[in-house]
Amino acid sequence: MEPLCRFSDVLSSCACFEGWLNRYQTLLVGLLALTLAGFQIWIAIRQAAISSRQTEIMNAESEREETHAERAALEEGFNAAIELLASMLINYDHAWKFKKGDADYLSFDLKKYREDSDRRVVIAAGQELREALRQAGDTNWKVAGPITAKYPYDFLRIRRAVQLALDASAKLDPQKRRLIEPLELPRLQHDIERLFDRDVAMQEIQANAHIPDLNEIPGALS
């Protein structure tokens, strides 16, 4: 019985494999090197993608922090404008005295609101002004005739403070603007303009005289 594998055949096979290996060794080494290089390139691309994503996340967080800081600064500016307006409404409440000819036309004060919050003072001023205009009885105010402010300079300062508060409110985000709607700043400005438009003397003062800007009044915006 012949052996399954002769020793000579094994030696021949080994010699054949060695010859094949010698022949293709360079090719195999090259393929291995190419595979390793491709793997390293993939790792580098992956690391670059991770780094880019981390940079995007950091930039997004930085932008959110900046946006939050900007919004906080705008809200702070609005609150300061409301504080200033409320202070003027209380301290210059005599500015709401007007005459029509020789007779008193409109007059009210806000003394009973001195201990209230700034926002409550602003709301109350609008309500008191609307009631005073209603009691004045000039339903068609555009043809109701001229009136004269007793303290036009103080009235003009209040008028400017209202505009400042409106300008500050316009910079707030929509959600914050909805929250301040109860202040009724546009309505307050509308009624103030009703009085201003009927006072020719005050219009001349506004046009020709220097009414200090709010940022020129020491401590007004601090």
Side-chain angles (χ1 to χ4, degrees):
M1 183 175 179
E2 295 184 1
L4 293 176
C5 183
R6 295 185 228 180
F7 183 69
S8 60
D9 292 340
V10 173
L11 291 176
S12 177
S13 297
C14 290
C16 181
F17 175 75
E18 184 178 358
W20 182 88
L21 184 63
N22 289 334
R23 183 175 181 182
Y24 293 101
Q25 182 178 7
T26 302
L27 178 61
L28 291 173
V29 171
L31 289 173
L32 181 60
L34 183 61
T35 301
L36 290 174
F39 183 68
Q40 289 175 342
I41 292 173
W42 179 84
I43 291 177
I45 293 174
R46 180 64 177 168
Q47 288 177 337
I50 293 174
S51 177
S52 176
R53 179 57 181 163
Q54 289 175 338
T55 301
E56 290 177 0
I57 293 173
M58 291 176 63
N59 289 339
E61 290 177 352
S62 177
E63 290 177 0
R64 282 195 295 269
E65 290 176 358
E66 290 177 0
T67 301
H68 179 74
E70 290 174 358
R71 289 178 178 174
L74 292 176
E75 290 179 27
E76 184 178 349
F78 173 75
N79 290 334
I82 291 298
E83 181 180 359
L84 175 63
L85 174 58
S87 176
M88 287 191 166
L89 288 170
I90 290 296
N91 294 320
Y92 295 159
D93 66 347
H94 54 267
W96 304 107
K97 298 181 185 300
F98 284 80
K99 284 185 172 294
K100 186 176 182 181
D102 295 330
D104 290 337
Y105 168 73
L106 183 146
S107 178
F108 67 90
D109 62 60
L110 301 171
K111 290 182 176 60
K112 61 184 177 182
Y113 302 104
R114 287 184 177 275
E115 303 302 322
D116 290 352
S117 67
D118 294 334
R119 297 195 176 201
R120 175 56 187 150
V121 169
V122 174
I123 294 171
Q127 293 171 340
E128 294 286 345
L129 178 54
R130 287 195 295 275
E131 177 62 18
L133 288 170
R134 186 188 67 79
Q135 291 184 4
D138 289 337
T139 55
N140 191 352
W141 61 274
K142 291 184 178 180
V143 295
I147 57 177
T148 304
K150 187 174 182 180
Y151 303 99
Y153 285 91
D154 291 339
F155 183 88
L156 288 172
R157 290 188 177 95
I158 291 176
R159 179 174 179 258
R160 186 165 299 168
V162 171
Q163 184 61 58
L164 177 67
L166 279 168
D167 292 343
S169 69
K171 298 176 183 178
L172 299 175
D173 63 68
Q175 182 179 4
K176 293 295 183 182
R177 288 201 297 270
R178 286 193 294 271
L179 292 176
I180 65 171
E181 285 179 358
L183 294 177
E184 296 187 302
L185 289 172
R187 179 65 183 274
L188 176 60
Q189 184 186 52
H190 171 76
D191 290 338
I192 285 175
E193 294 305 310
R194 287 176 60 178
L195 297 172
F196 177 79
D197 290 343
R198 294 174 59 190
D199 192 331
V200 177
M202 184 158 52
Q203 293 174 31
E204 292 178 354
I205 291 173
Q206 177 68 50
N208 301 319
H210 176 68
I211 308 299
D213 288 330
L214 295 176
N215 57 11
E216 295 178 309
I217 303 174
L221 298 179
S222 61

